[in-house]
Structures are given as C-alpha cells and as structure tokens.
Amino acid sequence: MLGKFRLTSLQKFLVICGSVAVLIIILLFAPIYVTIYGNPFNKGEKIPLFLGVLITALIWIPVLFIGWIAAGTWWEEMKKNGIRRVEREQKLNQRKENILKREVELKGQRLSLSRQERLQKNSPLYRKLPDGLKVKLEERIILFQEIVEFKKWKIEEVTESMRDIVSVDACLLIINRSPLDYLNLDWVEIWGTPIRLMHSEEELSGEAGRNSVRLHWDAVEFSISDEKDNLNVTLHEFAHVLDFTDDKIANSIPVSRDSPEYPKWKSLLDREYPKLQKAYQRSQGHVLRDYAISNPDRSEFFSCATESFFERSAELKKSNPEIYSLFQSFYKLDPASWQNSGI
C-alpha cells in the first residue's frame, strides 16, 4: 500500500520559487501579448500599441532597477566573501608556520615542577602516562596554550590549573600526531553552568565544533574523578574536533575520503555500529557506552570510542580488538600497555 505523498522542505521551496517565477514571467510579458494577440479572456480584444508599450515600460523599469540593485549587492557580497576567504587562508598559513616553528623550539621543554605535581595529583591520565611520554605531552600543552584562547562564561576565572587539566586530555589525543590537528581550533570556553545552545532547552556537559570547544567545568571535574568510568568530557569533545578536522563533518570517520585509511574506518563503522545497537537492544552491554548510538548520523561513535580507548583500554583491546587496533593506529598510542605495566 502506498503511503501519502509528501513534499520535502526543499521540494516545497522549489515549487514556491517556480510558481513565483511563472507569475513574474506572465506579468512581464502579458501587456505585449495582449497588444499583439489580444486578450484571450475578453474575446481577443487588443489594446492600443502605445498603451501596451507604456504598461510594459512601467512594469519592466522597476523590475530591471531592482534586479540591477540585487545583482550589485550580490556581486559586492561575493567580493567580500572572496576577500574574507583569502584573509582566512593567509591567517591559517601564517598560523601553521608558527605552530610548526614553535613545535621545534619547544622540544624538551617541561612544565614547572609545581604544575607537574598538580597534574600528577589531579589528572588520572597524566598520572598513568609513561614518563617518556610526559615530556612530549608537556611540549604539546605549552604549544596548545599558546595557540588556543581560553575563555570563560558565568565563571569567576579560568585558572592555570583548569587550563592545564583541560590541556592534558586535549593534547593526549595529538601527543604522537601533528599539532596541526588543532590548526582550526580558535578557542576553548569554560562554563560555570551547564551548556545551553540557542533555541534548545537541553543542558550539555560539552559542545564542540571545528573552531571551538565549550566545557562545563563541573562536568569536567566529575568526569576525571574516576579514570575508568568510561566518561571523560574533555576527551569526548576534543575527539569531535579531530573528527571535524578532515572534512568539516563529524561522522565518526576522522580521515578524509581520499585517505588510504578511509575504507578501514568506514568498514569498521558499518560493521561495529549495528553490533553496538544490538548489544544495547538486548541489554547485553558493551565497552562503549550507549551514548555512542544516541545520534542516527553515528556522529557520537568516534568520541565515545575514544573515551573507551583511553579509560577502558585493556577491556576494549580484549573484547573489541578491531576497534582498539584502528584507534591505536590513529592515535599512535597503546594505552592498554600502560595499564599492563602497572603505571
């Protein structure tokens, strides 16, 4: 049985535009038609040539004038967009050069002892990290805090300790990757209240795009209080940033379509996502938390898997070795070995 025929929003828009275009064409050419062929609704009666020309001119002159103004406005906007695009590219190229230069200059630099001790006390992932990787992590933290602005919202201040705690988890994701993964990231905003986006009543612990990250500080502190609870807001949101980096889309495939790794990621997602759905439908559970299947576009899978990769790495490696292996290749890290080494 056929369902009711319904137009999509785009189809409705096209129908409306087409109808308006037809009416405009009829309005523009009707006087000329009536002058030459007569009025089909009034026994073919024609109007005088002078009157037809006058009516046509009165219709066409304002239409052409409005069209000329609209075309000029459109052209100016196109030029401005082109200038903005060039300026943005120049800015990014300059920023890229600066990041790569500073990466070399910061080789071997460490955080102060007081900051190291504070992170050792307050950051489970920093505490668990092998000493050989801590040096590189701290290089990344210093660079990250140079290139990314920290903002505040409804919170008294963003302290050095808060910046460091966020930076540890953000930089852990790129410790063995290029710092250019955060090339487009402009700022991190720390909220003193749950995050509410425009036109939404939903309260969020974090929110990320290609250029920005917002974090509710209470949620950040809560999520790092237990290093094995499979929940880390900072890891989750910065994994979204990495997912956006390659193609401006969060689709849980963090590489571009022309990457040789793309088929592996797509195959993994197509294979493992339905398994994850079935596991929770049957109340069997999974290493990845159920938030990984909360969006139909599968955009939360990569971020939730990232949390599991770092917080339940040994369990993920044992129960889902294909997921673990691909994430190990992407992040160039083997966190399961940190646990096995007793760190």
Side-chain angles (χ1 to χ4, degrees):
M1 180 178 178
L2 293 175
K4 292 182 179 179
F5 177 74
R6 293 182 180 178
L7 294 176
T8 65
S9 298
L10 177 60
Q11 289 171 331
K12 290 178 181 177
F13 175 75
L14 292 175
V15 168
I16 292 172
C17 288
S19 302
V20 171
V22 169
L23 289 174
I24 291 174
I25 291 172
I26 292 173
L27 181 63
L28 290 175
F29 291 98
I32 297 175
Y33 182 90
V34 173
T35 300
I36 299 174
Y37 299 105
N39 186 349
F41 301 104
N42 191 20
K43 300 179 180 180
E45 183 179 351
K46 298 181 180 180
I47 61 175
L49 178 61
F50 172 77
L51 183 60
V53 172
L54 179 62
I55 295 173
T56 301
L58 290 174
I59 295 175
W60 273 85
I61 289 174
V63 169
L64 291 174
F65 179 75
I66 294 171
W68 179 72
I69 294 295
T73 302
W74 173 81
W75 179 247
E76 287 299 318
E77 189 61 31
M78 288 293 290
K79 287 198 295 184
K80 289 179 182 178
N81 288 338
I83 292 171
R84 283 193 289 263
R85 186 164 54 251
V86 171
E87 289 175 346
R88 175 66 177 171
E89 289 174 357
Q90 290 175 341
K91 183 180 177 182
L92 281 178
N93 288 334
Q94 185 176 3
R95 192 180 194 197
K96 179 179 179 179
E97 292 177 5
N98 180 56
I99 290 173
L100 294 176
K101 179 183 176 182
R102 289 296 291 151
E103 181 185 20
V104 175
E105 293 173 347
L106 292 172
K107 199 74 175 176
Q109 289 200 28
R110 302 291 303 268
L111 299 174
S112 66
L113 287 176
S114 61
R115 292 170 74 182
Q116 291 180 38
E117 291 170 357
R118 191 166 56 211
L119 287 175
Q120 189 73 18
K121 178 182 178 181
N122 297 326
S123 173
L125 286 174
Y126 179 87
R127 199 161 50 236
K128 186 167 64 175
L129 201 65
D131 290 338
L133 286 175
K134 283 181 180 175
V135 178
K136 195 166 185 180
L137 177 65
E138 291 175 28
E139 294 172 6
R140 286 284 191 264
I141 290 173
I142 296 170
L143 177 56
F144 180 80
Q145 293 184 2
E146 285 183 1
I147 65 174
V148 176
E149 179 186 3
F150 275 79
K151 299 180 177 183
K152 65 176 183 176
W153 179 260
K154 294 186 179 180
I155 194 170
E156 188 173 341
E157 66 173 324
V158 178
T159 65
E160 180 184 69
S161 176
M162 294 163 74
R163 290 195 298 271
D164 284 350
I165 287 173
V166 170
S167 298
V168 164
D169 293 356
C171 293
L172 180 61
L173 301 184
I174 61 165
I175 189 172
N176 280 335
R177 292 178 56 81
S178 170
L180 296 178
D181 282 344
Y182 291 149
L183 176 63
N184 292 287
L185 182 62
D186 295 321
W187 48 265
V188 175
E189 191 169 65
I190 308 298
W191 283 48
T193 62
I195 298 165
R196 281 189 177 182
L197 302 181
M198 290 181 62
H199 312 301
S200 174
E201 293 298 316
E202 184 181 5
E203 294 187 342
L204 305 174
S205 299
E207 184 269 336
R210 194 166 184 246
N211 308 110
S212 63
V213 173
R214 294 181 176 91
L215 298 169
H216 177 209
W217 181 247
D218 288 350
V220 171
E221 286 193 305
F222 176 79
S223 70
I224 65 171
S225 62
D226 184 345
E227 62 184 287
K228 295 182 179 181
D229 65 353
N230 219 20
L231 175 65
N232 185 304
V233 174
T234 309
L235 287 178
H236 185 97
E237 299 306 333
F238 279 92
H240 276 311
V241 175
L242 296 183
D243 197 5
F244 275 112
T245 297
D246 59 295
D247 55 7
K248 303 180 184 180
I249 300 172
N251 58 1
S252 290
I253 302 179
V255 295
S256 60
R257 283 185 173 271
D258 57 0
S259 168
E261 298 296 308
Y262 184 87
K264 295 180 183 178
W265 281 99
K266 188 174 187 308
S267 175
L268 177 84
L269 190 60
D270 290 343
R271 183 177 65 252
E272 297 297 330
Y273 195 85
K275 289 182 182 179
L276 185 60
Q277 289 178 310
K278 289 179 182 178
Y280 279 104
Q281 288 169 359
R282 297 169 180 173
S283 301
Q284 294 173 341
H286 196 280
V287 181
L288 275 63
R289 59 191 178 102
D290 59 354
Y291 190 70
I293 55 173
S294 60
N295 281 347
D297 61 6
R298 310 192 296 188
S299 59
E300 297 297 341
F301 181 89
F302 177 74
S303 287
C304 289
T306 294
E307 292 174 278
S308 299
F309 179 71
F310 286 103
E311 294 218 334
R312 291 187 178 173
S313 47
E315 186 180 350
L316 182 65
K317 186 175 184 178
K318 181 179 179 180
S319 61
N320 301 93
E322 298 89 353
I323 296 177
Y324 187 90
S325 177
L326 195 54
F327 276 74
Q328 181 182 4
S329 175
F330 179 79
Y331 286 118
K332 300 179 175 64
L333 291 169
D334 185 15
S337 67
W338 308 343
Q339 294 178 342
N340 293 337
S341 64
I343 296 171

